[in-house]
Amino acid sequence: MNKRLAKLLQKTSLYGTLAKYYEHMNPEKHIYFYRKHLKYERQLVHLYWQLKGVGEYPRC
């Protein structure tokens, strides 16, 4: 697996888990971690489609 893809998967998962953990305990931390999760998720999807050779990823 591509090293950068693996790193992005790890960060996306970590921040998604932290966002979920703080969802009902601390809304400010939830929002902070959820934004980081979205940031890395976008990068992950973009890199995934680049590696697949599609260029820009397909829109739903």
Side-chain angles (χ1 to χ4, degrees), residues 1-28:
M1 177 184 289
N2 179 288
K3 285 184 181 184
R4 184 165 174 231
L5 184 66
K7 189 98 170 157
L8 288 171
L9 278 167
Q10 186 178 34
K11 285 184 176 188
T12 301
S13 178
L14 170 66
Y15 291 124
T17 300
L18 288 169
K20 194 67 176 166
Y21 177 77
Y22 285 111
E23 188 172 10
H24 300 289
M25 293 173 30
N26 186 329
E28 288 178 13

Side-chain angles (χ1 to χ4, degrees), residues 41-43 45-49 54-60:
E41 187 176 55
R42 281 188 208 107
Q43 290 178 25
V45 170
H46 183 74
L47 178 61
Y48 173 80
W49 287 112
V54 176
E56 186 64 29
Y57 58 92
R59 304 263 186 229
C60 295

